[in-house]
Amino acid sequence: MTLNIAIIGAGPAGYYTAEAALKHWGGNARIDIIDRLPTPYGLIRAGVAPDHQSIKAVSRRYETTNQGQGVRFVGNVEIGRDISIAELTSIYDAVVLSVGAPHDKPIGIPGDDLPGVLGSAAFVGWYNGHPDFADLDVPLSHHGAAIIGNGNVAIDCARILAKTCDELETSDIAQHAVDELRQSAVRDIHIVGRRGPHQASFTVKEAGELGHLERAQPLVRPGDLPPVEEDAALDPGHRKMVGHIRSFAAVPRGDKPVTIHFEFYRRPVAVEGNGKAERLIVETTRLEDGKAVGTGELHAIPCGLVVACIGYRTATIEGVPYDTGLGRFAGDPQGRIFPGLYASGWARRGPSGTIGTNRPDGFSVVDAIAADVPQGKGGDAAATLDALLASRGVKPTGFSHWQAIDAAEVSRARPGAPREKFISVSQMLGLSS
């Protein structure tokens, strides 16, 4: 008997779960991939840096999944607004929440609500053309910007601020971001981390790219580097990344107009300013048993923009148990939340790992569904969903609608760029109607 599965979220976790379901049940599975936007691919489209096109190429794999027998993309449908979890679990044999972790964790320091303080999901969404953030106010009139965090997202944000518009021409960065960055006064970009180079989670590629920017030079204080012999304890990849950091410390300041300052051993304690962000106050730290401990020594980093790259949280959904401390849905290690409801990806384990890390998650949750639901209850879940949405005046978009949006974005791209995204849902719906 056919198994009906609804996957909520058309990002990497959702598509890897669909891929796993097709491999497990083949033609005996009917899968609806539901997303609140008319466009699929989630983090690939709106989270991956626009100048990293090779990473975005994984969407071709998801396209193949979407064209598989029994798979539908159902866009422009929002859980909680258009349909409830209780209704979905009554229609489908299994519902999988693959909604990611789209909300920024707050910094939690005085002044973090001042204008000019942004989370990385918002800032990245702005330059990637996500409809939720297209109208974001990103102040770029101050010479300083502070990026809080020592991971790849922090480097992405710093690199986008540091690149020339010519360097971004072959990316799919949103045109409104290019226009703002063209007028940017930012010349000092500070990447702030509580611990040192050995504890940073940059990858080799991300760190290395900073040494090849046209108008920007990365600077590291030599005193922040641990003894070189301690690098031997690192794994090869991390050791190579630290090698890039050491090379930045060895190069004297040149004449490039933009400087990327690595502020290791600095803990943010406050954002200050007269009605807006004007400086980030940081405390010098030292390591004790691997933990950053404040020394009481304070410094002010002049900046009009503060971007917090410190983690994300999954949005709550009415009727779904939630672990507030971990910022994700509450469930067992295989993704079970309660009978008929599951989670995969960041919604299951929290925001960690790479895009490919979501693939094992998909297979794990499908194994759990197979153990819990040996056979489907029958019926045409897709038709039932469509009828319910139609009765409420909801008009979903399908994969062919996305293909029309995709073709239009490619055709309107500036020279050298892969596409120019539509930045409002109404634009997308107008095109696909």
Side-chain angles (χ1 to χ4, degrees), residues 22 30 100 131 135 139 159 171 191 249 279 299 347 400:
L22 287 176
R30 294 291 180 269
D135 296 326
R159 190 179 65 254
S171 77
I191 301 178
R279 57 194 165 272
H299 303 269
S400 62

Side-chain angles (χ1 to χ4, degrees), residues 91-171:
I91 295 171
Y92 292 87
D93 297 301
V95 176
V96 183
L97 298 174
S98 304
V99 295
H103 295 318
D104 287 299
K105 288 177 63 176
I107 308 174
I109 58 177
D112 66 358
D113 57 347
L114 284 171
V117 181
L118 306 175
S120 57
F123 182 59
V124 171
W126 171 75
Y127 63 64
N128 266 326
H130 192 292
D132 288 353
F133 304 109
D135 296 326
L136 189 70
D137 181 16
V138 179
L140 299 173
S141 59
H142 193 288
H143 73 86
I147 314 294
I148 302 173
N150 266 185
N152 280 345
V153 176
I155 285 191
D156 285 344
C157 293
R159 190 179 65 254
I160 295 299
L161 287 172
K163 277 192 168 183
T164 65
C165 290
D166 286 345
E167 287 176 292
L168 293 169
E169 275 301 304
T170 57
S171 77

Side-chain angles (χ1 to χ4, degrees), residues 140-144 180-188:
L140 299 173
S141 59
H142 193 288
H143 73 86
E180 292 293 322
L181 289 167
R182 196 183 308 277
Q183 306 300 321
S184 173
V186 174
R187 295 296 179 268
D188 290 287

Side-chain angles (χ1 to χ4, degrees), residues 346 349-355 357-358:
W346 284 7
R349 68 178 193 278
S352 63
T354 63
I355 289 167
T357 309
N358 292 293

Side-chain angles (χ1 to χ4, degrees), residues 1-316:
M1 187 176 292
T2 299
L3 198 72
N4 289 296
I5 301 172
I7 298 171
I8 314 305
Y15 275 100
Y16 284 127
T17 301
E19 177 185 306
L22 287 176
K23 288 193 174 182
H24 189 94
W25 288 289
N28 292 323
R30 294 291 180 269
I31 303 164
D32 282 347
I33 304 175
I34 302 170
D35 201 279
R36 69 183 181 90
L37 293 177
T39 53
Y41 309 145
L43 190 68
I44 301 300
R45 179 174 168 86
V48 171
D51 55 347
H52 283 179
Q53 288 298 307
S54 61
I55 298 175
K56 291 174 181 274
V58 73
S59 63
R60 290 195 287 269
R61 177 177 186 150
Y62 306 152
E63 183 176 1
T64 300
T65 297
N66 223 121
Q67 293 173 334
Q69 183 180 0
V71 178
R72 285 199 314 168
F73 171 66
V74 184
N76 197 41
V77 174
E78 184 170 342
I79 308 306
R81 180 192 68 186
D82 300 322
I83 193 167
S84 70
I85 287 295
E87 289 169 326
L88 286 170
T89 54
S90 71
I91 295 171
Y92 292 87
D93 297 301
V95 176
V96 183
L97 298 174
S98 304
V99 295
H103 295 318
D104 287 299
K105 288 177 63 176
I107 308 174
I109 58 177
D112 66 358
D113 57 347
L114 284 171
V117 181
L118 306 175
S120 57
F123 182 59
V124 171
W126 171 75
Y127 63 64
N128 266 326
H130 192 292
D132 288 353
F133 304 109
D135 296 326
L136 189 70
D137 181 16
V138 179
L140 299 173
S141 59
H142 193 288
H143 73 86
I147 314 294
I148 302 173
N150 266 185
N152 280 345
V153 176
I155 285 191
D156 285 344
C157 293
R159 190 179 65 254
I160 295 299
L161 287 172
K163 277 192 168 183
T164 65
C165 290
D166 286 345
E167 287 176 292
L168 293 169
E169 275 301 304
T170 57
S171 77
D172 64 350
I173 189 171
Q175 186 61 48
H176 64 254
V178 174
D179 294 340
E180 292 293 322
L181 289 167
R182 196 183 308 277
Q183 306 300 321
S184 173
V186 174
R187 295 296 179 268
D188 290 287
I189 303 164
H190 303 262
I191 301 178
V192 181
R194 294 174 302 154
R195 299 188 294 172
H198 277 190
Q199 291 75 40
S201 55
F202 313 130
T203 59
V204 174
K205 179 179 185 295
E206 298 275 354
E209 283 180 307
L210 295 187
H212 302 282
L213 299 178
E214 184 177 313
R215 65 167 186 161
Q217 177 180 354
L219 290 182
V220 175
R221 292 184 294 267
D224 284 345
L225 296 169
V228 67
E229 58 269 18
E230 293 183 9
D231 290 2
L234 304 174
D235 67 70
H238 205 73
R239 188 162 57 247
K240 189 172 181 180
M241 181 277 290
V242 172
H244 286 307
I245 301 297
R246 291 190 183 279
S247 71
F248 301 155
V251 177
R253 183 188 293 268
D255 59 0
K256 290 185 177 181
V258 175
T259 304
I260 301 173
H261 307 263
F262 280 88
E263 304 282 357
F264 292 114
Y265 303 108
R266 297 286 189 265
R267 180 175 71 90
V269 295
V271 181
E272 295 181 346
N274 185 18
K276 61 181 180 180
E278 295 177 332
R279 57 194 165 272
L280 176 68
I281 307 302
V282 297
E283 180 183 20
T284 300
T285 64
R286 64 175 181 272
L287 290 184
E288 291 185 3
D289 297 325
K291 294 182 179 180
V293 177
T295 64
E297 180 183 340
L298 300 180
H299 303 269
I301 296 175
C303 56
L305 172 65
V306 178
V307 182
C309 307
I310 58 174
Y312 308 102
R313 299 174 66 85
T314 296
T316 59

